[in-house]
């Protein structure tokens, strides 16, 4: 199978499908028309599929339930962003038609690239040494809906031997491919906290107990966590995104609300960071005779960790099928990725495809209103899916991976991620 040539033949359809999805974005939890579009395309291609409520779409190509199986993933949801019709230099070729919603992360291209891979693989299913599972995920930006797909696979005892996903990157040159071992996306711990003190008039602070004073001490204590409690060989970042209290200069408030988060590449570091955060929160509030309430928290969620053997399979396949000259390394991303849950359960690899073209004004970061895609390289993403799938299925070496011992629901309870 000439993977690159077959992918190039689908370039026009990839762009067409990507533009349709881009013009009709749907936010997390609301991807009904997007799911219908994916299902219609799979029907056209003759691919059997299952529409999992709230989760997304699973498709199956080649083999049977006993065959060695590789899962290929694409996410489908958009972001609540008002898109700028211009990129960094001028008008975009395609703009959202839905006010306040836009595919400024690239999920439209992910779906289009995997649909093209599905079409090619279905047409060449007799050349597949096993089975390919398609994994179209809803609500990746919300982070939790992947559980519905993983739960369905677990409860129906569907065989999965390995997984693969990819993401377009606005800070990587168009056509370049990055696939690296270890942690490539961070895990996170997010928190929202209310501190309760005793309010009163600014003329009598001795009769009050300001939660602002308490927070000032908490701020310095929290900012010491990455330095004092985490080894210099490890990484943990800490941020505040919200601090709100008071209404007038001469009124001492009785409540302060703050929110923020941590990021890390080692889940054990995230667990430790959360434990220290809660210990400091409790201790400082007691010292200042305030009470507190953690009104919302998520995590520590999982970093996305690439299996070294899966990376080796992918790099060798990409060099052979797509070209060694396209391979490069990029800095690890501190953003989080829901696919980390799948890669905790199954051995896998997650790659990045560059879509930056400064001559065309394309180079704004993912999630920004100016984000744009050099569509001319999207066929490479289709080729990456096919290349990895065939190489993984043909691999005869044992993949070393310690699978998660419980169910997907157990995993989500462990990382304190609540899914309705």
């Amino acid at each position: 199978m000439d993977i690159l040539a077959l992918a190039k033949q689908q370039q026009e359809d990839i762009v067409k499908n990507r533009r349709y999805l881009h013009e009709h974005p749907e936010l997390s939890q609301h991807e009904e028309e997007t799911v219908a579009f994916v299902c219609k395309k799979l029907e056209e291609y003759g691919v059997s599929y299952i529409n999992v409520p709230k989760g997304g779409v699973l498709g199956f190509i080649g083999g049977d339930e006993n065959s060695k199986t590789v899962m290929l993933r694409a996410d489908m949801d958009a972001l609540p962003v008002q898109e700028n019709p211009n990129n960094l230099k001028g008008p975009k070729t395609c703009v959202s038609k839905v006010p306040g919603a836009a595919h400024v992360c690239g999920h439209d291209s992910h779906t289009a690239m995997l649909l093209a891979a599905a079409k090619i693989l279905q047409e060449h299913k007799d050349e597949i040494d096993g089975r390919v599972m398609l994994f179209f995920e809803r609500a990746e930006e919300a982070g939790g809906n992947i559980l519905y797909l993983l739960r369905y696979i677990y409860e129906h005892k569907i065989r999965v031997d390995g997984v693969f996903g990819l993401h377009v990157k606005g800070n990587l040159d168009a056509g370049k491919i990055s696939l690296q071992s270890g942690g490539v996306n961070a895990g996170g711990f997010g928190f929202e906290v209310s501190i309760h003190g005793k309010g009163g008039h600014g003329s009598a602070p001795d009769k009050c107990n300001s939660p602002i004073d308490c927070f000032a001490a908490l701020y310095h204590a929290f900012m010491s966590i990455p330095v004092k409690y985490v080894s210099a060989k490890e990484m943990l970042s800490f941020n505040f995104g919200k601090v709100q209290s008071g209404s007038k200069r001469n009124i001492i408030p009785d409540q302060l609300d703050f929110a923020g988060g941590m990021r890390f590449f080692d889940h054990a570091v995230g667990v430790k960071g959360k434990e220290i955060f809660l210990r400091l929160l409790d201790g400082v509030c007691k010292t200042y005779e305030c009470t507190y309430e953690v009104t919302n928290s998520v995590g520590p969620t999982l970093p996305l960790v690439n299996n070294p053997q899966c990376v080796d399979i992918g790099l060798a396949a990409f060099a052979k099928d797509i070209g060694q000259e396209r391979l490069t390394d990029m800095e690890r991303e501190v953003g989080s990725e829901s696919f980390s849950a799948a890669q905790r359960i199954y051995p896998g690899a997650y790659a990045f495809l560059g879509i930056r073209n400064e001559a065309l004004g394309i180079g704004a970061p993912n999630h920004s209103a100016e984000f744009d895609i050099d569509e001319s390289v999207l066929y490479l993403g289709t080729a990456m899916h096919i290349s990895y799938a065939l190489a993984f299925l043909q691999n005869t070496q044992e993949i070393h991976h310690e699978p998660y011992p419980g169910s997907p629901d157990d995993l989500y309870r462990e990382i304190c991620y609540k899914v309705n």
Side-chain angles (χ1 to χ4, degrees):
M1 186 188 305
D2 189 339
I3 293 172
L4 199 59
L6 290 169
K8 282 184 177 179
Q9 291 173 12
Q10 297 301 315
Q11 171 67 7
E12 184 176 342
D13 274 352
I14 296 170
V15 172
K16 179 182 177 181
N17 290 337
R18 182 257 164 179
R19 291 186 181 183
Y20 172 82
L21 292 168
H22 191 89
E23 290 177 348
H24 303 87
E26 294 179 300
L27 301 179
S28 299
Q29 321 287 4
H30 301 282
E31 309 95 333
E32 303 303 331
E33 294 302 319
T34 303
V35 167
F37 179 85
V38 168
C39 292
K40 180 181 178 181
K41 288 296 179 183
L42 294 180
E43 288 174 4
E44 289 178 10
Y45 305 156
V47 175
S48 62
Y49 68 87
I50 300 166
N51 184 353
V52 179
K54 299 183 181 180
V57 181
L58 300 176
F60 302 90
I61 301 172
D64 57 32
E65 62 273 10
N66 298 313
S67 300
K68 182 177 181 181
T69 301
V70 62
M71 175 202 295
L72 304 179
R73 179 270 200 151
D75 34 19
M76 301 187 289
D77 55 329
L79 285 160
V81 173
Q82 182 61 46
E83 183 174 17
N84 189 332
N86 296 314
N87 59 29
L88 299 179
K89 280 195 172 181
K92 297 177 181 177
T93 57
C94 183
V95 180
S96 170
K97 294 181 178 180
V98 180
H103 275 292
V104 291
C105 192
H107 296 184
D108 51 347
S109 66
H110 299 171
T111 299
M113 291 186 293
L114 185 55
L115 281 173
K119 184 174 188 292
I120 294 168
L121 287 166
Q122 179 67 11
E123 291 173 349
H124 295 264
K125 62 182 179 181
D126 293 339
E127 300 174 51
I128 301 174
D129 190 17
R131 183 163 74 158
V132 175
M133 178 191 293
L134 309 171
F135 190 91
F136 292 92
E137 176 188 344
R138 296 181 63 164
E140 190 279 332
E141 299 294 352
N145 287 56
I146 191 173
L147 173 60
Y148 296 108
L149 291 174
L150 296 174
R151 180 190 290 159
Y152 186 93
I153 292 169
Y154 178 83
E155 291 179 346
H156 289 79
K157 297 180 172 58
I158 298 173
R159 176 174 177 173
V160 178
D161 295 276
V163 298
F164 175 75
L166 66 87
H167 205 299
V168 295
K169 293 304 294 180
N171 59 353
L172 188 64
D173 285 343
K176 290 294 185 180
I177 296 169
S178 175
L179 176 58
Q180 298 166 262
S181 294
V184 294
N185 276 99
F189 165 56
F191 52 82
E192 298 177 22
V193 180
S194 294
I195 303 173
H196 303 282
K198 181 181 179 182
H201 199 279
S203 65
D206 57 305
K207 293 180 169 44
C208 305
N209 187 17
S210 174
I212 296 175
D213 296 339
C214 182
F215 176 76
L218 281 170
Y219 176 87
H220 290 289
F222 291 154
M223 297 309 286
S224 73
I225 294 176
V227 178
K228 184 177 180 181
Y229 299 99
V230 176
S231 168
K233 298 177 183 179
E234 299 167 327
M235 191 286 287
L236 184 143
S237 67
F238 193 101
N239 78 278
F240 289 104
K242 168 188 170 183
V243 179
Q244 293 180 346
S245 185
S247 59
K248 295 187 69 175
R249 63 180 176 81
N250 63 342
I251 298 177
I252 294 174
D254 60 3
Q255 180 172 325
L256 180 145
D257 301 315
F258 69 90
M262 301 178 186
R263 302 280 177 149
F264 41 84
F265 288 110
D266 184 331
H267 190 243
V269 172
V271 171
K272 180 180 179 181
K274 177 181 179 179
E275 291 174 350
I276 296 168
F277 169 85
L278 293 174
R279 175 160 57 85
L280 292 174
L281 176 64
D282 186 70
V284 172
C285 284
K286 284 180 178 177
T287 298
Y288 279 77
E289 299 182 333
C290 289
T291 60
Y292 68 89
E293 179 185 5
V294 180
T295 56
N296 188 30
S297 70
V298 175
T301 59
L302 298 165
L304 190 149
V305 181
N306 279 341
N307 181 286
Q309 290 174 276
C310 293
V311 168
D312 289 343
I313 291 170
L315 289 175
F318 297 160
K320 176 177 70 73
D321 298 327
I322 302 174
Q324 178 70 44
E325 72 281 359
R326 294 198 178 274
L327 301 179
T328 189
D329 289 336
M330 60 179 285
E331 292 185 2
R332 296 190 296 177
E333 296 281 345
V334 187
S336 297
E337 167 58 61
S338 70
F339 199 56
S340 58
Q343 289 194 203
R344 177 64 185 90
I345 298 171
Y346 312 109
Y350 194 78
F352 297 95
L353 173 63
I355 44 84
R356 176 175 63 192
N357 187 328
E358 293 181 350
L360 299 177
I362 300 171
N366 298 60
H367 286 220
S368 66
E370 293 75 29
F371 176 78
D372 200 3
I373 289 177
D374 183 348
E375 296 174 320
S376 69
V377 300
L378 294 183
Y379 74 95
L380 295 173
T382 293
M384 290 166 67
H385 278 299
I386 299 170
S387 177
Y388 185 87
L390 297 183
F392 182 88
L393 293 175
Q394 291 167 2
N395 174 66
T396 57
Q397 293 186 344
E398 180 184 358
I399 302 294
H400 301 292
H401 173 75
E402 183 179 344
Y404 184 73
S407 70
D409 285 272
D410 293 333
L411 176 60
Y412 266 70
R413 280 190 290 269
E414 181 178 310
I415 63 177
C416 303
Y417 209 116
K418 297 181 178 68
V419 180
N420 294 327

